[in-house]
């Protein structure tokens, strides 16, 4: 059989050729570089000469620097190059090598972790060992995977995963491989998004594919959130449903919290009266009666809440506070609880935190077109400096800050926050919740925050000279700082900073803008009718009917949709002060707040809270009553026609 013989011969020759080629290749320096460098070379992102140059630099350095970092420092390669090639060939780079090349761990760390992996019987993945033994913070590990490799980061919870999908995979398999299916994408022919603790773990990917099909789209999540979600899933399956009834105290507490959630309330007020327990919800900023309960329930209910938030149940004569993580069918709710001792017993207020739907984008919070453009340009996207949002409690300033974070958030930007407490969790942002109980104080956190190499620093609230100082210093060193302040209006914010002993030249050179705001109730669109301000109202507004020509005021009559209140939902009313030359000069000259206000109105395009409110009332969005109830009136407003022109309406 000559043909067979020939084939074998050819085969042998080929094999020999390959063997020879491989041996010469391993002898070339190219092959001695790590996988990621080889990929960069193969993709022609860098040249061999550049790599050799970088290797010579590496040899001369006294401390170890990864080759990739040197290539980047020498501007031979960019983060984008790395991202591009990794995304194309994610399976061929081992996470350990990648972390060394990125300078996240040292080669020695990698070696010890590999040794641990070999010695352990549990077949643990390298990524997990590195995190578990503190070679690298899990957050940094995730950042490498999500930023460098483009895996989206998500926070799985019972309310954002598809439980039917989870049923398809054995729970033990998900637990050992650290993944949980999120959802199937209907638009993209059967692809399934799956959250992995380590999306590079090929075994985990294989396991997921076996049960969910080949079109698994990996995203990344923290291993402990995956674990927690799996635990909650198991509890649900075991039928440990939440007790909701009015026969037990546990059921009563659950039913109150769930009702508040359903009504979209921000706070629950539980108040002992002489003859009953009075429960009210704050909805759209106003308290509404929910239900009364018999007086006898009070001690048990208060004890139950104290147990839930780990307060002292024996203490009934002192004010107390705590936090509750309330787990229910659709997810988790964070509650801040306060017990306040009154003559009738303890009044309990629960604030509902992290209600996701409260997140708006800046386009929809109610900034009029020209003010929005100016706020984005001169504040949010301004490269550095302090941006302040001011207003009293409940004016929506935290929501605005979160909207700004959303607008700024990108893989290229590092955002870090110090909040008391974190009210909404935002993916991809390093949020720190201040907790004085464990000595994690504001001062301590702020001291560390600047060492985290952030681009944007969010300080929950400037409440003393120290936090003001930190904000100003961070802005001086080129950071962008977002914070809130508890003042009536924009000028008040500036004056308050000056009163905190921040030198006028520092205020004028670091603060870029101040936004003052209030949340006013919107007129219910289902029962709105035309309205006209009374002479007394005009007088309080400090304007005449002539000033308001062209206005169409409206008012809600009250209907089923608005529970007979005439109001439905809320809208922001704003005053934006941009610190341009005239305003800066006024601060440096230490002018009075009255003078700074006049300069801002006449020379810097400031529209006051009252004026912004009037424009909105004149379009029938809010009522004159709401303006008088909520807005400060420092000076008479300009005529409506002029205001509309200024606002770009
Ligand atoms: Zn209505």
């Amino acid at each position: 059989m000559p043909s067979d013989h020939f084939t074998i011969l050819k085969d042998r020759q080929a094999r020999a050729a390959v063997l020879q080629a491989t041996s010469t290749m391993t002898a070339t320096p190219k092959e001695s570089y790590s996988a990621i460098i080889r990929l960069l070379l193969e993709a022609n992102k860098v040249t061999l000469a550049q790599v050799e140059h970088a290797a010579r630099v590496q040899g001369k350095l006294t401390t170890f620097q990864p080759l990739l970092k040197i290539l980047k420092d020498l501007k031979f390669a960019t983060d984008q190059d790395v991202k591009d090639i990794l995304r194309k060939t994610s399976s061929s780079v081992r996470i350990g090598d990648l972390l060394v090349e990125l300078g996240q761990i040292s080669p020695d760390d990698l070696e010890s972790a590999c040794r641990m992996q070999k010695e352990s019987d549990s077949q643990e993945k390298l990524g997990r060992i590195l995190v578990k033994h503190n070679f690298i913070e899990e957050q940094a590990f995730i950042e490498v995977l999500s930023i460098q490799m483009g895996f989206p980061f998500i926070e799985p919870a019972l309310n954002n995963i598809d439980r039917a999908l989870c049923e398809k995979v054995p729970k033990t398999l998900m637990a050992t491989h650290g993944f949980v299916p999120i959802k199937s994408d209907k638009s993209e022919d059967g692809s399934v998004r799956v959250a992995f603790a380590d999306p590079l773990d090929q075994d985990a990917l294989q396991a997921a594919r076996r049960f969910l099909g080949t079109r698994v789209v990996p995203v990344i999540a923290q291993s402990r959130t995956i674990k927690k979600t799996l635990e909650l899933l198991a509890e649900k399956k075991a039928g440990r449903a939440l007790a909701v009834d009015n026969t037990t105290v546990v059921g009563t507490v659950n039913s109150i919290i769930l009702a508040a959630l359903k009504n979209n309330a921000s706070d629950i007020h539980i108040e002992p009266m002489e003859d009953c327990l009075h429960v009210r919800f704050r909805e759209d900023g106003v308290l509404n009666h929910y239900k009364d309960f018999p007086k006898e329930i009070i001690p048990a209910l208060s004890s139950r809440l104290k147990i839930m938030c780990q307060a002292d149940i024996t203490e009934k004569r002192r004010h107390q506070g705590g936090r509750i993580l309330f787990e229910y069918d659709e997810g988790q709710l964070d509650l801040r609880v306060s017990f306040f001792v009154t003559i009738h017993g303890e009044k309990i207020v629960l604030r509902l935190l992290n209600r996701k739907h409260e997140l708006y984008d800046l386009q929809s919070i109610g900034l009029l077109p020209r003010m929005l453009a100016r706020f984005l340009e001169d504040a949010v996207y301004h490269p550095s400096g302090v941006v302040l949002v001011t207003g009293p409690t409940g004016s929506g300033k935290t929501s605005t800050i979160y909207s700004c974070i959303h607008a700024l958030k990108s893989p290229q930007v590092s955002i870090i926050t110090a909040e008391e407490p974190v009210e909404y969790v935002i993916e991809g942002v390093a949020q720190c919740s201040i907790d004085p109980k464990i000595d994690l104080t504001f001062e301590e956190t702020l001291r560390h925050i600047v060492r985290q190499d952030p681009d944007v620093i969010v300080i929950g609230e400037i409440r003393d000279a120290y936090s003001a100082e930190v904000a100003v210093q961070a802005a001086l060193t080129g950071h962008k700082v977002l914070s809130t302040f508890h003042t009536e209006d924009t000028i008040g914010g500036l004056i308050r900073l000056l009163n905190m002993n921040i030198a006028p030249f520092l205020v004028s050179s670091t603060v870029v803008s101040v936004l003052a705001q209030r949340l006013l109730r919107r007129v219910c669109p289902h029962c709105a009718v035309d309205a006209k301000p009374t002479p007394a109202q005009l007088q309080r507004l400090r304007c005449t009917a002539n000033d308001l020509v062209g206005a169409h005021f409206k008012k809600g009559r009250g209907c089923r949709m608005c529970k007979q209140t005439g109001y439905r939902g809320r809208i922001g009313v704003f005053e934006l002060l941009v610190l341009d030359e005239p305003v800066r000069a006024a601060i440096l000259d230490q002018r009075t707040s009255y003078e700074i206000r006049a300069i801002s109105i006449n020379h810097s395009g400031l529209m006051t809270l009252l004026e912004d409110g009037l424009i909105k009332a004149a379009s029938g969005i809010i009522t004159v009553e709401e303006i008088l109830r909520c807005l400060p009136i420092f000076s008479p407003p300009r005529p409506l026609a002029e205001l509309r022109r200024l606002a770009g309406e």
Side-chain angles (χ1 to χ4, degrees):
M1 292 171 197
S3 70
D4 255 11
H5 181 73
F6 180 68
T7 319
I8 291 165
L9 186 69
K10 207 177 87 179
D11 226 339
R12 253 186 225 151
Q13 280 172 339
R15 227 181 285 162
V18 168
L19 270 176
Q20 202 184 357
T22 345
S23 65
T24 46
M25 266 164 77
T26 37
T28 63
K30 194 179 160 187
E31 280 304 300
S32 63
Y33 296 123
S34 71
I36 176 133
I37 303 293
R38 290 202 306 270
L39 285 169
L40 279 169
L41 281 167
E42 277 161 29
N44 290 322
K45 299 281 187 190
V46 292
T47 64
L48 193 56
Q50 287 174 332
V51 175
E52 282 165 356
H53 177 87
R56 279 196 300 278
V57 173
Q58 189 183 37
K60 286 183 190 142
L61 292 172
T62 45
T63 55
F64 171 80
Q65 291 281 339
L67 208 49
L68 180 62
K69 185 170 180 302
I70 298 171
L71 281 168
K72 284 200 287 191
D73 289 346
L74 291 170
K75 305 262 185 286
F76 292 153
T78 64
D79 278 333
Q80 192 58 45
D81 292 337
V82 178
K83 231 183 274 183
D84 288 346
I85 57 153
L86 287 177
R87 234 174 269 179
K88 269 183 225 149
T89 53
S90 64
S91 54
S92 53
V93 180
R94 292 189 325 175
I95 184 67
D97 298 332
L98 179 61
L99 290 170
V100 171
E101 280 306 332
L102 293 171
Q104 292 285 353
I105 56 172
S106 71
D108 292 345
D109 291 343
L110 179 60
E111 214 174 286
S112 354
C114 287
R115 244 191 341 265
M116 285 181 188
Q117 188 185 27
K118 269 187 212 123
E119 284 161 10
S120 80
D121 314 318
S122 59
Q123 300 280 309
E124 257 188 312
K125 291 294 151 212
L126 192 67
R128 278 201 235 172
I129 291 175
L130 286 167
V131 171
K132 201 165 114 187
H133 296 281
N134 298 318
F135 289 111
I136 183 170
E137 295 271 334
E138 183 166 33
Q139 201 53 44
F141 178 66
I142 285 179
E143 254 161 44
V144 168
L145 292 181
S146 83
I147 295 175
Q148 297 287 343
M149 318 207 46
F151 291 113
F153 172 67
I154 90 145
E155 197 111 25
L158 282 190
N159 57 349
N160 65 8
I161 62 171
D162 183 340
R163 289 192 223 169
L165 272 178
C166 299
E167 296 288 318
K168 287 188 182 174
V169 193
K171 204 195 135 260
T172 46
L173 192 83
M174 295 194 279
T176 43
H177 288 294
F179 71 88
V180 62
I182 304 295
K183 63 170 183 184
S184 52
D185 205 332
K186 289 181 181 70
S187 59
E188 272 181 46
D189 50 86
S191 63
V192 180
R193 273 162 78 93
V194 180
F196 290 90
D198 178 0
L200 294 181
D201 179 347
Q202 293 303 310
D203 296 342
L205 274 166
Q206 289 299 342
R209 287 201 189 104
R210 209 164 344 134
F211 292 91
L212 299 164
T214 50
R215 290 180 173 273
V216 163
V217 180
V219 296
I220 185 166
Q222 278 187 292
S223 58
R224 61 178 168 81
T225 14
I226 292 179
K227 202 169 144 220
K228 181 89 204 154
T229 311
L230 291 173
E231 279 168 13
L232 286 173
L233 265 177
E235 278 177 21
K236 284 279 128 38
K237 249 190 176 165
R240 239 196 60 187
L242 205 59
V244 179
D245 55 65
N246 284 335
T247 55
T248 64
V249 70
V250 173
T252 307
V253 168
N254 291 345
S255 72
I256 293 174
I257 296 174
L258 288 175
L261 259 172
K262 200 170 145 241
N263 283 314
N264 202 3
S266 59
D267 303 81
I268 304 170
H269 288 233
I270 302 174
E271 209 165 344
M273 299 297 193
E274 219 173 341
D275 50 356
C276 68
L277 182 73
H278 193 57
V279 178
R280 291 182 295 173
F281 294 160
R282 189 176 291 282
E283 298 156 7
D284 289 340
V286 180
L287 281 173
N288 290 322
H289 181 233
Y290 164 62
K291 235 182 212 178
D292 285 340
F293 292 89
K295 190 173 137 212
E296 292 67 38
I297 194 178
I298 297 174
L301 192 127
S302 138
S303 298
R304 168 67 189 156
L305 282 167
K306 281 181 188 159
I307 290 168
M308 285 170 88
C309 70
Q310 282 144 28
D312 181 357
I313 61 164
T314 57
E315 181 60 76
K316 291 188 173 71
R317 292 166 305 169
R318 280 172 198 283
H319 312 310
Q320 290 195 72
R323 292 285 285 266
I324 295 176
L325 191 64
F326 181 74
E327 278 163 4
Y328 63 110
D329 261 8
E330 271 120 67
Q332 293 180 342
L333 176 70
D334 209 352
L335 295 135
R336 189 170 54 186
V337 194
S338 152
F339 300 87
F340 185 84
V341 184
T342 72
I343 48 166
H344 294 305
E346 285 165 302
K347 175 173 181 198
I348 307 164
V349 172
L350 296 92
R351 162 149 290 190
L352 286 72
L353 305 169
N354 68 5
R355 294 169 307 142
K356 285 232 167 90
H357 50 265
E358 280 238 334
L359 276 189
Y360 305 104
D361 56 43
L362 280 171
Q363 270 73 13
S364 60
I365 58 175
L367 282 159
L368 292 173
R370 198 160 291 167
M371 210 191 274
L372 173 65
R374 223 173 156 210
F375 184 57
L376 286 174
E377 211 168 291
D378 294 335
V380 180
Y381 295 130
H382 195 278
S384 66
V386 180
V387 175
L388 291 172
V389 180
T390 78
T393 311
S395 58
K397 36 184 202 300
T398 313
S399 293
T400 302
I401 291 286
Y402 279 108
S403 307
C404 294
I405 297 176
H406 256 269
L408 287 167
K409 204 181 81 170
S410 100
Q412 280 76 39
V413 177
S414 156
I415 303 177
I416 191 159
T417 79
E419 303 165 69
E420 186 175 359
V422 167
E423 295 198 16
Y424 316 98
V425 176
I426 303 182
E427 285 173 23
V429 174
Q431 293 172 281
C432 174
S433 222
I434 305 301
D435 190 351
K437 259 193 190 163
I438 56 161
D439 253 3
L440 182 61
T441 62
F442 222 67
E443 287 71 19
E444 168 88 3
T445 308
L446 291 183
R447 239 195 323 276
H448 285 271
I449 226 169
V450 278
R451 298 183 203 151
Q452 282 281 316
D453 183 31
D455 299 299
V456 180
I457 298 173
V458 180
I459 300 174
E461 190 188 346
I462 291 184
R463 28 127 150 243
D464 53 19
Y466 179 76
S467 39
E469 181 74 31
V470 170
V472 166
Q473 288 302 332
L476 277 178
T477 48
H479 298 94
K480 183 202 278 304
V481 181
L482 304 175
S483 190
T484 71
F485 219 6
H486 202 101
T487 59
E488 278 264 285
D489 69 331
T490 56
I491 315 291
L494 289 181
I495 301 295
R496 179 101 188 273
L497 271 184
L498 293 168
N499 289 343
M500 282 176 163
N501 281 332
I502 307 287
F505 79 93
L506 282 178
V507 173
S508 78
S509 58
T510 56
V511 179
V512 291
S513 86
V514 187
L515 184 78
Q517 73 171 81
R518 298 287 189 282
L519 280 179
L520 270 60
R521 288 180 291 168
R522 275 174 184 268
V523 174
C524 170
H526 304 282
C527 59
V529 290
D530 287 345
K532 213 176 141 215
T534 64
Q537 286 177 329
L538 285 178
Q539 205 182 2
R540 286 182 63 197
L541 290 171
R542 300 176 71 176
C543 62
T544 65
N546 259 350
D547 294 335
L548 298 173
V549 172
H552 296 284
F553 293 105
K554 291 214 185 297
K555 199 174 182 168
R557 246 182 345 202
C559 67
R560 212 163 43 84
M561 300 298 286
C562 58
K563 292 185 194 146
Q564 309 304 330
T565 57
Y567 295 104
R568 205 172 144 86
R570 287 191 290 177
I571 186 169
V573 170
F574 302 92
E575 173 178 299
L576 175 65
L577 173 71
V578 173
L579 275 78
D580 54 5
E581 277 314 311
V583 180
R584 287 183 201 283
I587 296 170
L588 284 176
D589 291 350
Q590 308 205 20
R591 302 289 194 93
T592 63
S593 63
Y594 178 81
E595 288 169 321
I596 299 179
R597 166 168 288 277
I599 289 167
S600 313
I601 293 175
N602 297 325
H603 302 286
S604 309
L606 181 93
M607 189 141 55
T608 65
L609 279 166
L610 170 65
E611 290 176 332
D612 190 53
L614 266 183
I615 294 176
K616 283 163 184 157
S619 315
I621 300 170
I622 55 176
T623 61
V624 170
E625 285 80 1
E626 275 290 280
I627 291 186
L628 292 171
R629 186 176 75 91
C630 304
L631 302 182
I633 301 175
F634 293 116
S635 54
R638 286 165 279 189
L640 180 63
E642 189 185 341
L643 293 178
R644 282 184 163 161
R645 190 177 50 76
L646 286 171
E649 277 260 278

Coordinates of all heavy atoms in Angstrom, one line a residue, residues 28 64 68 92 106 235 322:
T28 N 13.9 31.2 21.0 CA 13.8 32.7 20.8 C 13.3 33.4 22.0 O 12.4 32.8 22.7 CB 12.9 33.0 19.6 OG1 11.6 32.6 19.9 CG2 13.4 32.4 18.3
F64 N 11.0 45.1 41.3 CA 10.3 44.4 40.2 C 9.1 45.3 39.6 O 8.3 45.8 40.4 CB 9.8 43.1 40.6 CG 8.9 42.4 39.6 CD1 9.5 41.8 38.5 CD2 7.5 42.5 39.6 CE1 8.7 41.2 37.5 CE2 6.7 41.9 38.7 CZ 7.3 41.3 37.6
L68 N 4.4 44.5 31.3 CA 3.3 45.2 30.7 C 3.2 46.7 31.2 O 2.9 47.6 30.4 CB 2.0 44.5 31.0 CG 0.7 45.1 30.4 CD1 0.8 45.2 28.9 CD2 -0.5 44.4 30.8
S92 N -7.1 32.2 26.7 CA -5.7 31.8 26.6 C -4.8 32.5 27.6 O -3.6 32.2 27.7 CB -5.2 31.9 25.2 OG -5.4 33.2 24.8
S106 N 2.6 40.3 43.0 CA 4.0 40.1 42.6 C 4.1 38.6 42.1 O 3.3 37.8 42.4 CB 4.9 40.3 43.8 OG 4.7 39.3 44.7
E235 N -33.5 29.1 50.5 CA -34.5 29.4 51.6 C -35.9 29.5 51.0 O -36.9 29.0 51.5 CB -34.2 30.7 52.3 CG -33.2 30.6 53.3 CD -32.8 31.9 53.9 OE1 -33.7 32.8 53.8 OE2 -31.8 32.0 54.5
G322 N -30.7 52.1 64.8 CA -30.2 50.9 64.3 C -30.5 50.7 62.8 O -31.1 51.6 62.2

